[in-house]
Amino acid sequence: PPPALRLAAAVFLLVALPAMLLPSALASGEITPSNLRAVGLLPLVYLFPALGLSTLTSALSRRLHLPQRTLSGAILVLLLALSTPATAAAYFRDWAPSATLYYAADGDLADVAAYLNQNDLATTTPYVASIHYRHPTLAFLAQEYHAIRWLTGGHTVVLPPPASDDGLLILPRSTAGDLAWVESVLPDDSLVTAPPGPDGAPAFHAYRVAQTPALTPTHPLTANLAHVVHLLGYDVASASRNDAHIGVAVWWRVLNRPAQGDYGPVARLTDPWGGVWGETLPFHYPAEQWTSGELVVDHLTIPVIPGAPPGDYLVRFGLYSPSTDARLPRLDDAGRYAGDTIRLPIRRRLDARVGGLTLLGFNLDTTAARPGEPLFLILFWQGPDGARGQAESISLPDHAIALTLGETLLYRGAPVHDTYPTSQWTAGEIVADRYGPRLPRTMPAGDHTLRLTVDGQTVELGIVAVPTLTRAFDAPPISHPLSATLGRQVRLLGYDLPSETVAPGGTLTLTMYWQAQTEMDEGYTVFTHLRAADGSISGQRDNPPLDGSYPTPLWVAGEVVTDVHRIPVRADAPPGEHRLEVGMYIAEDGARLPVTAPSQDASEAGDAILLQPVTVQ
């Protein structure tokens, strides 16, 4: 093709790549990144390999004096012959029947649709939980799709009106996070079926539901919201000592469907003085689906602002319509306006009885840590009080405590780093128990829950975010390679020095390439000194690797770390040849790592590596 056309094609390819990424980049909410919106990239996925293959066959055809079409066809047949068996095995044997694909492709909802199609729904109201309101998979597969009531997220139990024949509550695996709470609300004999998925665990749970006198809230109360809803009470649905959220399950009966179909619950956590500490406005079971007589039990999770003190709180509950920006008014016995919220008293405490001890509270100072970094935590304990007239000593057995982050055990032993067993505590003694365990260097990335366990009882202390670390294990090209080991823990593979001269008051840039020989618990400081002929320091830069951003306790054995140091040179540095020396030391006491086995390009100075001379001029 003409050069202009080739240029236009190249420009098109370069422009098409970011342009086709834009729909996915502009997606928001739960669909980021959106694979479907990135479908425009598919031609590019095949085009670039095809261009490379075309260039390769063109070069080979000229060298072998064969027609390019013949050679391309032969290569294509060869590739198909080699790849087809492996592709078929990977697709039909490994990928197609895998549990990962089953759940990613809504296999649990496809099974729910098949189950609903097998049942007569003429006298049964199906309530289906899903991650999307009116899920498209069931819209395509369920024959009685119009009859389904949708419970978004799986945090709601709805029981049909007493006059109706039956109700069917279905929780697919994708919305089974609140399964334990759902089963705590329903009678023990409610489960109808739980067919296994490809991994052996239930693909979904189906429960036969109906209103019975036995189903009542633990905290009964009554309130009339605009003759639309009759509030029956509430449960404290999650441990109030959890510092991250408050969970309440609110019970109400539908009296009439409201004019607006977007009414839903709003719950606000306030202290006795009116201060707001958290709020939630979920989209679980919107009013456009309500039927007169239904009993709704909605599990609401209210995030709590960090620092909220323990004590008495109120959950102010109401029903809110975003389209009208209004709440249903509460009516008193005479039918008069009595506000637009109902107060649900709860008690939020940080103290908890754990294994005969009282956990008064805790300070979790670390909310994000990289693999290898410490996690700082203080637990405040109090032993049981002794009876009056007794000696201060109490008979308390030894309790081992365990700290786990996700599935990783960080500590197990007696309090105070296994030095102060609980059998030695006095009556009522308060113990501030500090910890700083390092995360394993193999800790997986993600948000992990920190848990404290004593004698089988577990308390959640918070969430710690662990980022992904990108590590390098191959050394890049090095202009000055060498091999010098420091304390048998780290090796200097070499360095780059762009300039061998520097002016007084200037900056000397030195790039060093370290390789960890083992995992290090000590955080070493790297020193880079420029010394004049008389031994005085004419330039110096001391700091942990990468300006302190990547300390040695994070390194793993074999890892290569590129460490750039910009050494400021004194303005009064004398002209002439200066020595450049580097090494590592412990900042606390200045003890240097000894240097062993230097290469011929570096000289040994006991505890420093001497690099090439630098001229100040």
Side-chain angles (χ1 to χ4, degrees), residues 236-611:
V236 178
S238 64
S240 60
R241 62 176 173 266
N242 191 319
D243 195 41
H245 67 270
I246 290 291
V248 292
V250 184
W251 298 56
W252 76 81
R253 178 168 285 113
V254 178
L255 302 178
N256 297 283
R257 181 179 292 182
Q260 282 75 35
D262 60 345
Y263 272 103
V266 57
R268 178 174 292 175
L269 182 68
T270 65
D271 58 31
W273 307 278
V276 178
W277 292 93
E279 183 179 64
T280 186
L281 200 152
F283 185 78
H284 289 170
Y285 187 53
E288 65 181 5
Q289 299 186 109
W290 295 358
T291 299
S292 178
E294 282 182 330
L295 177 62
V296 181
V297 186
D298 205 357
H299 185 187
L300 309 177
T301 299
I302 308 172
V304 181
I305 295 174
D312 294 322
Y313 284 78
L314 293 172
V315 172
R316 298 179 181 268
F317 174 82
L319 292 172
Y320 172 74
S321 166
S323 63
T324 60
D325 192 25
R327 302 191 191 197
L328 288 178
R330 179 181 181 181
L331 307 178
D332 63 13
D333 293 340
R336 296 172 299 190
Y337 176 80
D340 57 9
T341 61
I342 299 95
R343 299 182 178 184
L344 313 179
I346 63 171
R347 183 161 183 81
R348 179 179 181 274
R349 296 182 58 84
L350 289 180
D351 58 65
R353 298 291 296 178
V354 185
L357 307 175
T358 299
L359 179 65
L360 298 176
F362 60 91
N363 289 345
L364 179 57
D365 297 325
T366 303
T367 57
R370 294 175 291 180
E373 285 187 328
L375 183 152
F376 296 106
L377 169 73
I378 305 177
L379 303 174
F380 297 94
W381 299 103
Q382 185 174 35
D385 292 331
R388 289 188 177 181
Q390 290 183 343
E392 283 194 355
S393 62
I394 56 175
S395 178
L396 183 67
D398 285 332
H399 294 279
I401 68 174
L403 291 170
T404 55
L405 185 63
E407 302 298 324
T408 302
L409 178 67
L410 298 181
Y411 175 81
R412 186 190 301 277
V416 194
H417 299 271
D418 212 19
T419 63
Y420 194 24
T422 53
S423 58
Q424 298 180 14
W425 294 10
T426 58
E429 180 179 5
I430 295 176
V431 177
D433 192 10
R434 299 188 177 192
Y435 295 90
R438 290 191 180 276
L439 272 60
R441 293 168 180 84
T442 56
M443 188 76 189
D447 293 336
H448 302 277
T449 302
L450 180 64
R451 295 181 175 87
L452 167 70
T453 301
V454 181
D455 293 346
Q457 295 179 261
T458 300
V459 178
E460 293 185 1
L461 304 181
I463 301 295
V464 177
V466 179
T468 301
L469 277 185
T470 302
R471 304 181 186 273
F473 294 91
D474 296 322
I478 302 174
S479 60
H480 298 278
L482 56 84
S483 179
T485 303
L486 291 82
R488 298 183 179 179
Q489 298 191 68
V490 63
R491 176 176 296 159
L492 181 61
L493 301 178
Y495 63 95
D496 294 337
L497 191 64
S499 176
E500 299 179 2
T501 62
V502 64
T507 300
L508 184 68
T509 300
L510 172 68
T511 302
M512 291 174 286
Y513 300 92
W514 305 103
Q515 185 178 51
Q517 302 300 290
T518 184
E519 294 183 353
M520 294 168 276
D521 293 329
E522 188 70 55
Y524 293 106
T525 297
V526 177
F527 69 84
T528 55
H529 294 168
L530 192 64
R531 291 188 180 273
D534 60 359
S536 62
I537 294 180
S538 51
Q540 179 178 4
R541 179 76 175 185
D542 290 21
N543 53 252
L546 276 69
D547 288 331
S549 65
Y550 197 48
T552 53
L554 275 62
W555 301 5
V556 298
E559 181 177 2
V560 176
V561 177
T562 302
D563 188 17
V564 179
H565 286 251
R566 295 172 178 83
I567 308 168
V569 179
R570 292 174 52 178
D572 59 351
E577 190 175 273
H578 294 241
R579 294 178 301 160
L580 183 59
E581 62 180 31
V582 300
M584 290 187 177
Y585 65 91
I586 301 173
E588 184 176 355
D589 57 13
R592 292 186 177 185
L593 288 176
V595 177
T596 58
S599 72
Q600 60 182 4
D601 296 321
S603 302
E604 182 177 1
D607 53 14
I609 305 170
L610 302 183
L611 307 182

Side-chain angles (χ1 to χ4, degrees), residues 136-147:
T137 297
L138 285 179
F140 181 73
L141 297 176
Q143 298 171 2
E144 301 292 334
Y145 172 77
H146 63 277

Side-chain angles (χ1 to χ4, degrees), residues 7 12 54 73 100 160 163 208 295 311 458 508 528 558 580 614:
L7 178 61
F12 170 78
S54 175
T100 301
R208 193 68 65 179
L295 177 62
T458 300
L508 184 68
T528 55
L580 183 59
V614 174

Side-chain angles (χ1 to χ4, degrees), residues 88-102:
Y91 183 88
F92 294 104
R93 184 193 64 196
D94 302 330
W95 185 68
S98 69
T100 301
L101 174 64
Y102 171 82

